[in-house]
Amino acid sequence: MIYRYKDLSLKYRIFFRLPYFFYNKLTAPLYGKKLIQITTIGRVSKKERKTLLEVIGHIDDVPVVIAGFGENSDWVLNLKKNPQAKVVWANHNYISDIEWLDQESASQILTKYKKHNPKLVKFYESLFKRSWDEFSELPVCMLSSIK
């Protein structure tokens, strides 16, 4: 079963949206490297769309994020149409090329995440009603800087 954002209870939707009001270029360093904001171009509207995501790992100091709500998340669909995004992450602001990871690489990142964040993993399993192993089937990408 794909769990969608709109299926969440109101308290969880508020919980997930609250950081949007406080995250920007000035406040990003306060959050450290745990959260990242990407700005994509809407696939239909062509307007900028901001999304705040949790960084689940790093590959060569490049942030890795997961689409917790699946491949039909708006930010994923936007990136599949236009694979570049503006990134605000800690002290970094850059334009990113998106690299989608294969399931094996995603599993390795998620295994490390589970080891370092066992309580969050239990929370996510409960919230999304799926086992942690199933998360590797979701879209996972690296947000590397364009050189």
Side-chain angles (χ1 to χ4, degrees):
M1 176 184 147
I2 300 293
Y3 210 68
R4 299 174 312 215
Y5 176 78
K6 67 181 182 179
D7 295 333
L8 294 175
S9 69
L10 180 60
K11 72 177 181 181
Y12 282 124
R13 284 189 282 176
I14 292 170
F15 172 76
F16 280 125
R17 295 302 269 169
L18 201 56
Y20 279 79
F21 299 108
F22 304 108
Y23 197 95
N24 58 49
K25 288 180 183 180
L26 296 174
T27 62
L30 298 174
Y31 291 90
K33 293 189 171 188
K34 190 69 171 165
L35 294 178
I36 193 166
Q37 178 182 288
I38 64 170
T39 303
T40 60
I41 302 300
R43 63 196 176 283
V44 176
S45 70
K46 307 292 187 230
K47 294 180 182 176
E48 287 191 346
R49 303 293 184 195
K50 292 183 180 183
T51 305
L52 194 60
L53 301 166
E54 179 184 8
V55 175
I56 61 166
H58 306 88
I59 297 175
D60 299 328
D61 206 32
V62 174
V64 176
V65 297
I66 188 170
F69 293 106
E71 60 190 33
N72 289 325
S73 298
D74 285 328
W75 70 269
V76 172
L77 296 172
N78 290 343
L79 287 175
K80 291 199 178 202
K81 179 135 184 183
N82 179 9
Q84 286 188 350
K86 291 180 191 173
V87 173
V88 176
W89 180 49
N91 291 325
H92 309 286
N93 298 301
Y94 59 91
I95 303 294
S96 174
D97 262 341
I98 307 305
E99 181 182 336
W100 298 99
L101 301 182
D102 59 44
Q103 194 168 351
E104 183 180 330
S105 299
S107 281
Q108 290 173 357
I109 293 284
L110 289 167
T111 299
K112 287 179 192 173
Y113 184 91
K114 183 177 183 176
K115 181 180 176 186
H116 292 98
N117 303 284
K119 291 181 181 176
L120 268 176
V121 167
K122 286 185 189 279
F123 171 71
Y124 291 146
E125 287 176 327
S126 167
L127 179 67
F128 292 107
K129 296 178 177 44
R130 64 170 56 139
S131 76
W132 191 247
D133 294 334
E134 293 175 281
F135 276 79
S136 65
E137 298 168 7
L138 296 172
V140 176
C141 69
M142 286 180 24
L143 301 162
S144 56
S145 177
I146 295 176
K147 306 264 183 223

